[in-house]
Amino acid sequence: MADLQFKTRSGASASIPEATLTAFKEGLRGRVAVQGSAEYDEALPIWNAMIERRPALFARCAGAADVMRSVHFAREQGLPLAVRGAGHNIAGNALCDGGLVIDLSPMKSVRIDAGARLARVEPGVTLGEFDREAQAFGLATPLGINSTTGVAGLTLGGGFGWLSRKLGLSIDNLQSADVVTADGALLKANAGENTDLFWGVRGGGGNFGIVTSFEFRLHEVGPNVLSGLIVHPLDDASKVLRFYRSFIADTPDDFVCWFVLRKAPPLPFLPPQWHGKEILALAVCYGGKIEDGERVAKPLRAFGNPIADVIAPHPYVAWQTILDPLLTPGARNYWKSHDFRELSDGLMDVLIAHARKIPDPQTEIAFAQLGGAVSRVPHGATAYTHRDAQFVVNVHGRWDDPAKDAQCVGWARELFDAAAPFATGGAYVNFLTQDEQDRVRAAYGDNYDRLVALKNKYDPGNLFRVNQNIQPTL
Ligand SMILES: Cc1cc2nc3c(=O)[nH]c(=O)nc-3n(C[C@H](O)[C@H](O)[C@H](O)COP(=O)(O)OP(=O)(O)OC[C@H]3O[C@@H](n4cnc5c(N)ncnc54)[C@H](O)[C@@H]3O)c2cc1C
């Protein structure tokens, strides 16, 4: 290792002597990866290939002690600091330019206490890894819909998926978190200790510290859940979505149905003549008994003339990976999202009109259903504030060729603007993309001032700033 030249958090040129770097490296149980090494090249890629940032070094942490030491090192040296879980953040907040990345991805332990129905999870764990461990005991907690996403980043922003209408957000099932704060101390945050910090990490992202361990409540789920897709031609979307809207008004919280508008991928269950044509895919999951799910889903399955219906009992772990092939890492991605209280006729028309102009076969409009248990948590109980949102649209601009950047980004922005009149004005912090600094306040909503007070208490120097940042005012 040579001396390290870098720009400090305040922008001044600085360097760290080789001996200081070596001492830091030798003090870790994990490893340090610097530019030019194979380990650096292995640590660098994140999910969204549009993000181009080159940190000076990664601290590949093996445990909480490494995280504490790395926080001290970054603070003392004035190094810009980013924190990486599984690297899925669309805005690329797992990486900084020229500074230190505290890389939590080696921290992979999941410990299930089936008797107490609790899971203790380290911050490098992905959703798929968590699900596999918990399902060995027939248990689960609500997480997202793509198994390679990180439990850490997802949870710190809120976290929702197929079980959320039944069981709430991921944060609603968080019992306790161990947090390394900006002074390098490790604090326990839960309903009895550091309660303000516990409130803040449930939706306030990584603004207050680095979580080295999450404890989640577990629930009986599966091992099979009634789940699958019903696929209709886009030409029928207007009448199918009107039926969908009235249908879901009376379904129990066990039932959830998201939908996707896109070009049909060449999946084996879709007739070849439909491959590449625009479709509406309803994605259904029932978290309760299979036979109850079959009864509840029946009218939706009977409606219209679907191209395919592949709803059946599937192992919960398998269903949790069902969309993985469409969401692989390494593509260029640009997202725009809105929250909605209702699915109005005008909104449906906007979604369908833009689906007809989808600029790339990988691009899609994903529409998530929330409500249920998510909306029953009292407003203000957590830093996540959008309890009234019944639906979230995520415009997944996604393509491979950089020459298509302007076209695909332009399409996503156009759809976002057209849908804005129907939206709440709020935003899900985990879906904000890298050019949406102007939406950060909206994402934290009416909790913003309380979050600033918390930031002033736990991170007044804004060490943790490579995130959807709450700026301290001290
Ligand atoms: C394909 C795909 C599907 C998705 N599906 C869903 C979904 O169904 N539901 C949903 O709610 N969200 C979903 N998301 C959004 C997801 O919640 C965010 O991208 C989230 O930031 C991912 O967390 P990560 O740990 O993988 O990311 P990272 O990029 O590693 O981290 C994300 C942010 O969290 C911070 N961070 C990470 N770990 C810690 C920690 N231990 N302590 C403090 N700060 C930390 C990072 O600094 C960064 O700011 C999806 C994202 C993708 C790319």
Side-chain angles (χ1 to χ4, degrees), residues 261-286:
L261 300 157
R262 60 171 296 136
K263 291 179 189 290
L267 295 170
F269 64 84
L270 290 175
Q273 66 270 27
W274 280 100
H275 295 176
K277 304 251 171 61
E278 284 88 12
I279 51 156
L280 163 70
L282 304 173
V284 168
C285 180
Y286 191 84

Side-chain angles (χ1 to χ4, degrees), residues 61 113 143 155 191 410 421-422 464:
C61 296
D113 182 340
L143 297 168
T155 300
F422 308 101
F464 304 117

Side-chain angles (χ1 to χ4, degrees), residues 46-48 81-95 102 104 122-127 143-162 169-170 178-179 205-214 258 326-328 333 335 394 396 398 428-431 464 466-468:
I46 56 171
W47 186 81
N48 185 2
L81 174 66
V83 178
R84 181 194 164 116
H88 262 235
N89 189 257
I90 189 70
N93 285 330
L95 296 177
I102 296 187
L104 306 165
E122 283 195 318
V125 171
T126 63
L127 310 193
L143 297 168
I145 53 87
N146 169 233
S147 77
T148 56
T149 309
V151 170
L154 176 126
T155 300
L156 291 167
F160 55 79
W162 305 119
L169 298 174
S170 305
D178 293 352
V179 188
N207 271 287
F208 311 109
I210 302 178
V211 177
T212 56
S213 180
F214 296 84
W258 295 18
L326 303 178
L327 297 168
T328 49
N333 289 274
W335 289 2
N394 196 350
H396 285 172
R398 183 176 160 90
Y428 179 36
V429 71
N430 275 347
F431 288 168
F464 304 117
V466 183
N467 46 39
Q468 301 304 347

